[in-house]
Amino acid sequence: MTKVYIKTFGCQMNVYDSERMAGVLGASDFEVTDDEKEAEYVVINTCSGRQHAEDRALSYIGAAIKNKKVIVAGCMAERMQDELMAKFPRLHAVVGTFNFSNITSAINRGKKKIFAGVTEEKYPVKLRRNEKVRGYITIMQGCDNYCAYCIVPYVRGRERSRDVEGILAEISQLATDGFKEVMFLGQNVNSFLDEKTNTNFSGLLRKSAEIPGIERIRFMTSHPKDLSDELIESISATPKVCKHVHLPLQSGSDRILKIMNRHYTAEWYLSRVRKIREAMPGGAITTDILVGFPGETDEDFQQTLEVMRKAGFDASYIFQYSPRRGTKAALMESQLDEKTKLARLNNVLELQKKISEDITKSYLGRKVEILVTGPNMVVKGMMEGITDNSKKVIIPGDGSMTGKFFRVKVIRAQTAIMEGEILK
Ligand code: SF4
């Protein structure tokens, strides 16, 4: 059998796309291997989110192409089709973001053919999964929001939701394979809508929760403008749905939010935080913050810090703005210097560290339920588990505990990962 190795760059949605391609290849005449050395073909699934991610992928392609047949897939393939072909004349194929399900014909036909362009998107029910406890499922692709700094709508296309039937079949398969958790992925899961069955995201959550064997349902990412009271209440009212909302803030300044094209104000954002706290006491809220957007003044930046203090995020993914060719923000004249951006980044990191530490400390002595996901990679002999609200807790144990639930008491809570002891 022809062996294929898949290398993935970028976010969890890319990991899912790679699992999807591996599923398609596995169902055909290919064997997907974890050992790049023994592969005849290397599929490189790329990310265009940041320049750094593209640079890493380019250097990976340069190295792999010396002795493998290389296929470049994903966002960078979509964005740079001709550029990639010109830069790497020996490329076997380039596969765009609408064409993952055509990976076998890309390999079979080769000839540097570009497969970009809209085709019918097919999702195999059985993917080749990297994890054993949590299964990721992309429920929608693309984005209609056109935030000024973001390349996604250009490389992933307009928003389109999958049909509920296919998603439920995939969840059932996960349950059959022993998975306990699913995580729904999408650029904006709140606006999920299966038009055929008129099922919105709340409906999908409810239907998914009926599938036996799956004990927890998570989702990411929510857009603040689409997080309605009704949806917050559905999350709260469905016991299997984890009480954790990832809600990107980006900026706390209304002026910057407007230029970013985010379609909400700081006050609307905080109203979402209050509603989540009210509906899900003890739930977690995490966020994304983008510092150093063009034209961001010190006053704008202080407003971001203020919203962070008010919201009390459990964790934040903090990014320093870097221009992405093809986006509106890249053309704005008021780009900030690197020193200012870096200083603000450090400021935000410091504030979040303090907030997260205070939250973590409040867990000392508390009893929580965790789902063990596997061994902890840092402390030998410890297993790692996750609470409903996404807190990581390590406990002594072995591989037989993976995929099982335990009640534990938190006995150490200094760093982001807590330590617990199992309650009898
Ligand atoms: S919502 Fe904005 S940041 Fe998120 S994917 Fe869409 S355009 Fe990008």
Side-chain angles (χ1 to χ4, degrees):
M1 266 200 182
T2 310
K3 293 192 176 173
V4 183
Y5 174 77
I6 304 180
K7 169 75 185 172
T8 310
F9 289 92
C11 65
Q12 200 56 52
M13 285 183 73
N14 277 21
V15 174
Y16 177 84
D17 289 331
S18 292
E19 291 180 343
R20 210 172 128 198
M21 285 191 282
V24 171
L25 289 166
S28 186
D29 295 333
F30 296 93
E31 183 185 332
V32 178
T33 171
D34 293 326
D35 182 0
E36 185 175 356
K37 281 194 221 89
E38 63 173 29
E40 183 180 342
Y41 291 91
V42 173
V43 176
I44 303 174
N45 191 8
T46 56
C47 166
S48 274
R50 313 190 69 74
Q51 188 57 48
H52 180 61
E54 289 198 349
D55 293 343
R56 281 176 57 222
L58 286 171
S59 87
Y60 200 94
I61 298 166
I65 211 162
K66 289 182 188 145
N67 43 27
K68 304 284 176 192
K69 292 177 192 154
V70 172
I71 294 101
V72 181
C75 294
M76 210 171 113
E78 188 73 38
R79 191 180 85 72
M80 293 176 62
Q81 309 164 12
D82 295 334
E83 259 176 277
L84 282 172
M85 307 294 286
K87 195 171 169 59
F88 302 104
R90 291 185 53 213
L91 264 189
H92 185 73
V94 180
V95 178
T97 53
F98 300 86
N99 302 82
F100 292 116
S101 50
N102 290 336
I103 185 68
T104 43
S105 50
I107 292 180
N108 285 333
R109 286 160 63 185
K111 302 278 180 274
K112 300 163 195 159
K113 190 159 174 66
I114 294 174
F115 279 76
V118 183
T119 61
E120 196 195 335
E121 290 166 285
K122 297 189 197 98
Y123 292 82
V125 168
K126 192 151 177 69
L127 283 72
R128 185 181 189 270
R129 302 278 181 181
N130 294 328
E131 295 192 26
K132 301 267 176 284
V133 179
R134 176 188 293 171
Y136 293 88
I137 300 181
T138 293
I139 59 166
M140 61 189 306
Q141 294 276 5
C143 183
D144 287 348
N145 289 317
Y146 291 92
C147 298
Y149 51 83
C150 182
I151 193 78
V152 166
Y154 306 97
V155 292
R156 290 269 175 181
R158 302 303 299 261
E159 207 168 276
R160 51 218 187 270
S161 298
R162 289 179 58 187
D163 61 274
V164 169
E165 201 188 328
I167 296 168
L168 296 179
E170 216 177 308
I171 302 174
S172 298
Q173 181 65 51
L174 284 172
T176 305
D177 293 341
F179 284 76
K180 292 288 184 300
E181 225 181 73
V182 295
M183 182 181 253
F184 292 145
L185 301 172
Q187 305 295 349
N188 184 8
V189 291
N190 307 161
S191 55
F192 174 89
L193 180 65
D194 175 8
E195 282 173 0
K196 265 193 273 166
T197 56
N198 200 23
T199 309
N200 64 10
F201 188 56
S202 298
L204 175 66
L205 289 175
R206 278 194 299 273
K207 286 184 183 178
S208 307
E210 287 166 13
I211 296 177
I214 295 296
E215 307 292 343
R216 284 179 173 177
I217 300 164
R218 300 181 186 275
F219 56 90
M220 180 179 280
T221 291
S222 299
H223 195 300
K225 76 175 168 53
D226 298 315
L227 189 63
S228 63
D229 286 1
E230 185 234 335
L231 178 52
I232 294 173
E233 276 147 23
S234 289
I235 297 165
S236 155
T238 316
K240 283 187 183 178
V241 178
C242 292
K243 307 305 177 251
H244 169 198
V245 181
H246 182 73
L247 196 63
L249 167 66
Q250 308 302 8
S251 170
S253 154
D254 290 347
R255 193 181 73 82
I256 294 293
L257 287 170
K258 193 157 196 300
I259 306 171
M260 284 178 167
N261 199 30
R262 291 289 291 171
H263 297 285
Y264 55 86
T265 61
E267 185 40 42
W268 167 258
Y269 185 94
L270 286 168
S271 78
R272 300 302 78 204
V273 170
R274 286 192 294 271
K275 181 75 194 169
I276 295 168
R277 300 261 186 246
E278 196 184 292
M280 302 170 223
I285 305 176
T286 54
T287 197
D288 295 338
I289 308 270
L290 183 61
V291 297
F293 186 77
E296 182 190 70
T297 62
D298 190 51
E299 197 187 334
D300 294 318
F301 178 63
Q302 293 304 326
Q303 288 168 2
T304 299
L305 297 179
E306 192 50 29
V307 175
M308 286 179 73
R309 284 188 205 101
K310 285 184 179 158
F313 297 117
D314 293 71
S316 301
Y317 297 91
I318 301 158
F319 303 94
Q320 178 178 324
Y321 172 77
S322 73
R324 301 302 299 125
R325 198 154 43 110
T327 62
K328 275 196 181 157
L331 301 173
M332 292 176 185
E333 283 171 6
S334 46
Q335 304 287 329
L336 302 194
D337 60 84
E338 292 302 308
K339 201 171 146 214
T340 306
K341 288 196 272 187
L342 187 61
R344 288 180 185 170
L345 178 84
N346 287 330
N347 232 312
V348 172
L349 285 168
E350 208 177 303
L351 174 59
Q352 185 58 56
K353 186 165 174 266
K354 168 87 184 64
I355 298 170
S356 299
E357 273 173 10
D358 288 348
I359 294 173
T360 303
K361 280 183 197 151
S362 74
Y363 275 78
L364 190 62
R366 277 163 69 175
K367 293 168 187 159
V368 293
E369 183 180 59
I370 60 167
L371 170 60
V372 174
T373 50
N376 179 260
M377 292 305 170
V378 181
V379 194
K380 220 172 159 215
M382 300 296 270
M383 299 301 289
E384 195 172 298
I386 189 161
T387 63
D388 172 278
N389 64 354
S390 303
K391 304 288 174 204
K392 282 191 179 157
V393 182
I394 55 171
I395 49 171
D398 57 40
S400 65
M401 295 158 77
T402 301
K404 295 187 180 143
F405 286 90
F406 292 89
R407 290 271 309 155
V408 304
K409 181 176 169 193
V410 177
I411 54 169
R412 247 174 235 108
Q414 271 124 14
T415 60
I417 298 189
M418 302 180 242
E419 189 178 332
E421 66 183 15
I422 301 173
L423 294 167
K424 300 286 175 222

